């Protein structure tokens, strides 16, 4: 299934997809209402370009300057050392599940950008959870949780936010690609204004700083953690599909850990926007660009599997931030 299936009529005037570096001539359009053969980001940019041209909007593109980190020397194994293996001349890490295993960054960060390329468990991964998250020592978290599936079913990506120990902010989407077939990039952008979750540079969730509404915001230093573990009591179809241990070992791989963030050294002032010129605090990153907002709306409208802000049974009175996320 392609990411966009209901483009407006003006799309017939375009015969090629538009990428971040111009025209991608090898990516041709299909029929009036469906784009064939384009990557998800190309499809998004094409649709957005159509709308932008009709409205005479100038596109702005988001770019980061993340710096690659030596993954071996900048991480440490948190548990099950015999289940953690270095790959590709120690440029990648592989985690194996028959109980649990994980690693973490050796340093803490307070605001900035963190990304990792991940290739998930192939085949029948039902019941497994591959977690990639930032966490403080006082239960603040930004979570990517990849929920395993019975072969042939879509992977679900659950994100969650813990702020000042408050959880219950789950959001799940269906990924539009097979995350076990190849590596894809999963990133956080975190500043004083919001935290944004990205998949291959496409924003899938935003958690805004709504302290003015009484909503706690994450403003403590956090460490990156990665783990793979048995979550079959809840992860796949709410616990209906259990881990089939006959298919073990379950393997996920991680590489290209990149950090462009403030390294925490024990003082707030070192990571404060008021005391240094930090790119992630600049105006361009205080809100989503028009392109990013469009991409996020496509994800939310077409790929959402669960949104706590729409769960009126769980929250008869919706949390204060639900109508103030941008």
């Amino acid at each position: 299934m392609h990411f966009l299936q209901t483009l407006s009529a003006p799309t017939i005037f375009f015969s090629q997809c538009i990428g971040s570096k111009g025209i991608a001539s090898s990516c041709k359009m299909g029929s009036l209402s469906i784009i064939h053969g384009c990557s998800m980001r190309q499809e998004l940019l094409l649709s957005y370009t159509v709308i932008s041209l009709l409205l005479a909007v100038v596109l702005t593109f988001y770019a980061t300057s993340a710096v690659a980190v030596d993954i071996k020397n900048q991480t440490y194994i948190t548990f099950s050392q015999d289940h953690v293996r270095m790959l590709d001349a120690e440029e990648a890490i592989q985690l194996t599940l028959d109980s649990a295993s994980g690693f973490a960054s050796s340093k803490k960060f307070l605001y900035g950008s963190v990304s990792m390329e991940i290739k998930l468990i192939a085949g029948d991964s039902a019941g497994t959870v591959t977690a990639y998250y930032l966490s403080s020592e006082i239960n603040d978290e930004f979570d990517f949780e990849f929920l395993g599936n019975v072969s042939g079913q879509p992977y679900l990506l659950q994100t969650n936010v813990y702020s000042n120990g408050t959880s219950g902010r789950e959001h799940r989407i269906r990924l539009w690609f097979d995350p076990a077939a190849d590596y894809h990039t999963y990133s956080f952008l975190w500043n004083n204004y919001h935290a944004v979750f990205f998949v291959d540079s496409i924003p899938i969730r935003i958690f805004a700083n709504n302290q003015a509404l009484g909503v706690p915001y994450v403003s403590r230093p956090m460490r990156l953690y990665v783990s793979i573990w048995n979550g079959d009591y809840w992860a796949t179809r709410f616990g209906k599909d259990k881990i089939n241990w006959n298919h073990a070992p379950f393997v996920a791989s991680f590489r290209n850990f990149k950090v462009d963030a403030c390294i925490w050294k024990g003082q707030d002032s070192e990571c404060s926007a008021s005391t240094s010129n930090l790119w992630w605090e600049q105006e361009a990153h205080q809100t989503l660009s028009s392109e990013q907002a469009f991409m996020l709306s496509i994800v939310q409208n077409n790929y959402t599997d669960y949104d706590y802000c729409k769960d009126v049974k769980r929250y008869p009175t919706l949390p204060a931030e639900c109508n103030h996320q941008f």
Side-chain angles (χ1 to χ4, degrees), residues 56 59 63 73 89 126 133 158 169 175 203 226 237 275 279-280 313:
L59 294 180
N73 295 325
Y133 59 103
Q158 175 169 288
R169 296 188 175 98
L175 290 171
V226 177
R237 296 202 307 143
T275 59
W279 68 262
W280 51 83
K313 291 185 178 180

Side-chain angles (χ1 to χ4, degrees), residues 4 7 42-53 57-61 289-295:
L4 297 177
L7 297 184
Q42 289 172 323
E43 293 172 3
L44 277 171
L45 289 175
L46 173 58
S47 182
Y48 179 77
T49 302
V50 173
I51 295 170
S52 298
L53 288 173
V57 176
V58 177
L59 294 180
T60 57
F61 294 89
S289 69
S290 299
E291 180 200 0
Q292 290 173 330
F294 175 75
M295 290 179 178

Side-chain angles (χ1 to χ4, degrees), residues 240-256:
K240 293 180 181 178
D241 296 325
K242 305 297 184 181
I243 288 183
N244 184 345
W245 292 106
N246 290 327
H247 295 164
F250 303 101
V251 176
S253 300
F254 308 82
R255 71 181 187 188
N256 286 344

Side-chain angles (χ1 to χ4, degrees), residues 10-29:
T11 59
I12 61 176
F13 297 117
F14 292 80
S15 62
Q16 295 171 320
C17 291
I18 297 176
S20 60
K21 294 184 179 179
I23 300 297
S25 59
S26 63
C27 186
K28 304 293 184 181
M29 279 190 57

